[in-house]
Amino acid sequence: MNSNTITCIEDLRQLHRRRVPRAFFDYADRGSYSEQTLRENRADFEKIKFRQRVLVDVSRRNTSTVLLGEAISVPLVLAPVGLGGLQYADGEIHACRAAQTAGIPYTLSIMSICSMEDVAAAVKKPFWFQLSLLKDRGFVRSLVERAIAVKCDAIVLTVDLPVLAQRHADIKNGMTVPPKWTFGKFVDFASRPAWVASVMRGKRKTFGNLVGQSGNQKIESLAAWMNEQFGTSPTLKDVEWVRSIWPGKLIVKGIGDANDARDLAKIGVQGLVVSNHGGRQLDGGRSTISVLPEIADAVGADLEVLVDGGVRSGQDVMRALALGAKACMIGRAYVHGLGAAGEQGVAKAIDLIRKEFDVTMGLTGTVRVDEIDRRILA
């Protein structure tokens, strides 16, 4: 990757598309059903305009802030994304290293290829772990105990999977783990020998957090078992149960309604993520940036509000903070970097967004993150 020619996340996306088989690229890139929500997550960000301020001394800008008691270099978190190790060998380790070098949190997906123990052994600092409320609560408890053992800094509890939405691209691509071979898929993989060689050298080829824990060892059995485990209907009592067995910071991800946010504020969680699963679940729902202000107004004084879905630039981070977020989570943006060039690509994605955020601060007359509010918007 020639870093000098990469000027935006879309450049990384195009490299990712060329270097990774279509099924895995589309798994990260596409959404559910007609992808209306996927598109509007981006379109609604782009509708928000800034008020340009000049004649202000912005020579000492500072992009750092504090999130959940942790100092971070920019208000950004790498979101949980499944199958990172099939975008690039040991992808979760590469992404975590890039995040920690940049001074921001990384969230490991429950559906990662590298296990939480693999990642913990390969990095220097604690990371966040994403947990889903699976049907087998004994297994959920074991995951929490493992997260405690590897000293995870926070659990991000995903609650927007009561039923699983259909993603047309995954069906058309025959997206399965392991792949079901067809002639077209064989040709697709064969045309990307560097990716094949990379993934074959990786530590794991299966769901690292699940092997041996669910009683299943073969990848086919693990995939079938996980499909059966999703589709629960989590309630506040379930969140309270996780709160009771997890001693650290708890963040609930998948909130799109202010009433749900108010309920969470009453039960002792530290934060929430305004999220529609990146347009991969409810299609036709509101974009995250459009619902963010009412949720931030409702609970921002009681817990820390993050947002994801459609964040592709530092300008987007600025917009989200102006509307009440403490930080943004990025998923696709960093996965495009991961698929393009591993740790170097993730580092580039973070750096692009950080620099854009810094420039946008300067051009709106802003020096510190805590100064950012709706006054910067036109």
Side-chain angles (χ1 to χ4, degrees), residues 157-196:
L157 180 64
T158 299
V159 295
D160 58 354
L161 295 164
V163 293
L164 293 177
Q166 179 169 296
R167 297 156 196 168
H168 296 338
D170 288 351
I171 294 173
K172 291 174 180 176
N173 290 331
M175 176 58 195
T176 59
V177 180
K180 292 181 179 178
W181 290 106
T182 64
F183 178 74
K185 192 170 292 184
F186 178 81
V187 170
D188 188 25
F189 279 45
S191 68
R192 293 167 173 82
W195 175 87
V196 172

Side-chain angles (χ1 to χ4, degrees), residues 73-105:
S73 64
V74 64
L76 202 63
V77 177
L78 298 196
V81 179
L83 307 185
L86 294 180
Q87 302 291 347
Y88 194 92
D90 298 332
E92 293 88 3
I93 291 172
H94 288 284
C96 189
R97 284 174 174 165
Q100 293 187 351
T101 298
I104 64 173

